[in-house]
Structures are given as structure tokens and as C-alpha cells.
Amino acid sequence: QEEIADQVDTIGVALGTAIFSTPGHLKVNGSLTASNALSVAGLLSGAGSVVPAVAVSGTLAPGNSIGTLSTGALTLGGASTFDIELGRDGLTPVSDRTAVTGGVTIDSGANLSLTLFGGLSNPFASDIFYLIENDGVDAVSGEFTKLNGLTTTLTEGSQFSWNSQDWLITYQADVGGSSFTGGNDVAIMVVPEPGALVLAAVGIAAAAMARRRVRG
């Protein structure tokens, strides 16, 4: 077993067949490769690439502020925390993200921790934030059961409250299609206001009527 001390920033580290355990803070802004799984009992962060499978019993905080950390197959254990910051780039909602090559498993008890980055105070209605980009066609196994340390219903399609706003969570988003449905990625979305939904429905109906008039 090989251990890493606090606040280590890896760049191009190859570990061969080592079983790699991180009791402290491992920040990966380059690439870290190993033949066996990376076991994270402390904190894993950064915007680089961790090639082996990653099993987290501590905290996974992708990015440096907001950014993406790439990993092999990912398991978020029952005592783990997935620490995510939400922000905005102009009009585009952005967030920390983990891009996974392999399966994604979320054990019961896993905690989703959300914070707002920089000057973002209230995301817009219908904003979508993609948290886990899951490659291939395999579905996410399991679901988060805690939000910021509190037991919360976070099953597929469920609604929850945070930051004085209502949100939806899905494990079937599609990052590539910029969609909240149709894939196998993990995302959250600010629930549109009822008035906005009504206006959208009216707009769709009006557009349909206009098309019928044109055809006529």
C-alpha cells in the first residue's frame, strides 16, 4: 500500500501495480495511472485524469473551483461525499463534473454536497447542471441518499429543495445532447416556475396553430 501526504498535486504519476490509498488530500491536475484501483479515504480533487478505477469512502471534489476530473470506473461508497460547486459562464450554467470511463456505482448513504461558486446566488429556472458524465450505455447503479449531510429523497426524477429553490435530480441525463433525459448521466435542474411552464405551453400551442394556418 502506498500513501500520499496532504496537499499533493500529481502531474504524470505512474504507479504500476500499486494499490493506491489516499488518507490525505490528493490533487490530480495531470495524470495518475495505476493497474489497480485508487482507494480514496481522504480527499480527491483536481482537473486532471485518474486512469484506474476509483473507490471513494472520503470526499470526491472534482475541479479546482469549477472543473472536470476524469476517472476510471467510479464507486461512491456509503460514507462518501460528492462535493460539487455550481456556477455560471455568461448565460451557461456550469458545475464541477466527474467524467467516468467505466461503470458508476452510488452506494446507499452517499452524500451529495452542493455549494454556489463565486457571485452566483440564484440559478435560473430550468438551469441544468451535469455532475457525472457516464460513458457508454451502462446505467448508473444506485442513488444518492443524502444532500449536504441530511437524509433526502434523491431517487430518479425526484424533487428536492435547496438554496430556497426547488430542484429535480436525474440519473438519466444526456450531457452530449444537452438534455435532462435520454441518457445515463447524473444531473440536477432548477424546477421551472409554474407560470413559465404555462407560458411555454401557450407558446407551443400558438406555434402549432400558426403552422396549421400556413398549411391551410
Side-chain angles (χ1 to χ4, degrees), residues 3 7 12 16-17 29 35 38 45 55-56 61-62 75 89 104 134 142 147 152 193 197 211 213:
E3 296 185 350
Q7 300 293 338
T17 59
N29 286 321
S35 300
L38 173 67
S45 68
V56 182
T75 298
D89 181 6
V104 176
N134 182 14
L147 177 69
T152 308
E193 298 176 0
L197 292 175
R211 285 194 298 270
R213 291 194 191 101

Side-chain angles (χ1 to χ4, degrees), residues 41-57:
L43 170 62
L44 173 62
S45 68
S49 174
V50 181
V51 174
V54 176
V56 182
S57 58

